[in-house]
Amino acid sequence: MSAQSPEFLCIGETMTLVYPEPSLPLEEASTFRMHIGGAESNTALYLASLGHSTGWVSRVGDDPFGRRMTSELQRFGVDTSAVSTDQNAPTAVYFKDPTPQGTTVHYYRRGSAASRMDATDIDRVSFNGVRVVHLSGITPGLSDSCASMVDYAIRTARNHGTLVSFDVNYRPGVWDVETASPVLADLSRRADVVFVGRDEAETLWGTATSDDIANYLKLSGSLIVKDGDVGATEFTDGVRTFAPAVPVSVVEPVGAGDAFAAGYLSRLVAGDTVASRLEHGHQLAARALSSLSDFNPLD
């Protein structure tokens, strides 16, 4: 990490994203575009585009994909000095498949460089001056060492008085509900700010409404429940605040939650009101929804 610690530190795997252009099912497509995509780096990119000093911690393979990934993040102002290169494992790849029934995602991440992350990746980073550490529920499902790393990152952040932000981000392609459910609930209860989709919470914990989720988790910090095109609700200290979603013509839903988190966290550290935080989250999410790329740069 650079001499001066960033304001935000985002930790997790990023993959090479391949998608057809024009938007056709993979079985029919002949031309493709390549970008990068990862929940935590998406959030880092949006935070950097909003003017925040932001760092990303991960591992990449010693391959063109890993080099392209780090240079792309650097180009948008994200500090990648804490990213290490693994000589013995590849950078993961995933494909978007836009079909008439909706977009599906095909992951090729087993045995990836990032899945080999452990506590040593956290020890390389200085937390002095870091205001927020952002993690997601994808990382602990990648491997036992990644799960231990997330635990260690939270404990380290706590020791430094750093705010912990956690996006539940359940991925059935990474681990099954029975395994993920208690782990993600425990990590949520250890965080200061938690983002979760109403639908994924129902899958994980059988909670049908945002109020049910709040009652189930009983967080000491802030819970933000996102409910698609309906809106988002924050629960903090028993106070419930709702903000409707921004109307948008959806091109692609992947990455919208990461953008929402960035918008919300940006206004959180600025000391804005709950309503302002939620509204800014919706605005960035709408931007992500209008693009095929996981990250849609701000003008």
Side-chain angles (χ1 to χ4, degrees):
M1 197 59 64
S2 59
Q4 181 163 351
S5 298
E7 188 177 15
F8 290 92
L9 196 62
C10 301
I11 306 169
E13 179 172 50
T14 293
M15 297 168 286
T16 297
L17 161 63
V18 181
Y19 63 86
E21 191 174 83
S23 183
L24 293 169
L26 288 176
E27 294 179 20
E28 303 171 14
S30 58
T31 57
F32 299 84
R33 293 193 61 122
M34 183 186 298
H35 286 283
I36 61 173
E40 300 83 4
S41 62
N42 288 341
T43 299
L45 285 163
Y46 278 110
L47 285 167
S49 71
L50 290 168
H52 296 282
S53 59
T54 307
W56 173 58
V57 180
S58 191
R59 293 191 194 184
V60 298
D62 184 18
D63 50 41
F65 305 112
R67 290 188 288 274
R68 175 173 177 152
M69 186 175 292
T70 52
S71 64
E72 186 79 355
L73 282 156
Q74 291 167 6
R75 184 166 69 88
F76 285 104
V78 177
D79 183 346
T80 64
S81 58
V83 177
S84 63
T85 300
D86 192 318
Q87 305 291 328
N88 301 306
T91 305
V93 178
Y94 77 110
F95 296 80
K96 286 186 179 180
D97 187 11
T99 71
Q101 292 74 40
T103 298
T104 56
V105 179
H106 302 275
Y107 294 105
Y108 298 87
R109 70 196 314 173
R110 188 182 301 276
S112 69
S115 72
R116 294 154 64 106
M117 287 189 292
D118 57 30
T120 62
D121 294 279
I122 304 303
D123 284 334
R124 291 199 314 274
V125 180
S126 171
F127 279 69
N128 294 327
V130 177
R131 298 186 67 182
V132 180
V133 167
H134 182 68
L135 300 153
S136 90
I138 298 171
T139 309
L142 297 179
S143 67
D144 290 342
S145 67
C146 280
S148 296
M149 180 199 67
V150 169
D151 172 75
Y152 185 61
I154 292 174
R155 287 190 282 115
T156 304
R158 285 271 178 261
N159 290 338
H160 285 81
T162 302
L163 200 74
V164 176
S165 167
F166 182 68
D167 192 335
V168 172
N169 242 332
Y170 171 61
R171 293 289 188 271
V174 172
W175 49 352
D176 60 73
V177 170
E178 291 73 19
T179 305
S181 174
V183 175
L184 296 179
D186 175 66
L187 291 172
S188 296
R189 291 172 181 136
R190 295 173 60 195
D192 300 291
V193 179
V194 176
F195 301 94
V196 67
R198 188 207 56 77
D199 53 349
E200 69 178 337
E202 186 168 12
T203 298
L204 286 166
W205 306 310
T207 48
T209 68
S210 58
D211 294 276
D212 290 339
I213 300 167
N215 290 332
Y216 175 79
L217 290 175
K218 293 182 171 62
L219 303 185
S220 58
S222 296
L223 169 68
I224 299 90
V225 180
K226 301 167 293 180
D227 193 6
D229 60 2
V230 176
T233 306
E234 178 184 308
F235 297 85
T236 302
D237 296 330
V239 178
R240 183 186 195 277
T241 306
F242 173 79
V246 175
V248 61
S249 178
V250 178
V251 174
E252 167 58 60
V254 178
D258 310 324
F260 182 97
Y264 178 96
L265 292 171
S266 175
R267 293 298 171 90
L268 174 67
V269 298
D272 283 11
T273 64
V274 174
S276 174
R277 300 195 296 252
L278 294 173
E279 288 165 7
H280 197 47
H282 283 315
Q283 289 167 9
L284 256 66
R287 184 173 187 83
L289 288 166
S290 65
S291 171
L292 276 173
S293 299
D294 281 14
F295 170 58
N296 187 6
L298 302 182
D299 297 328

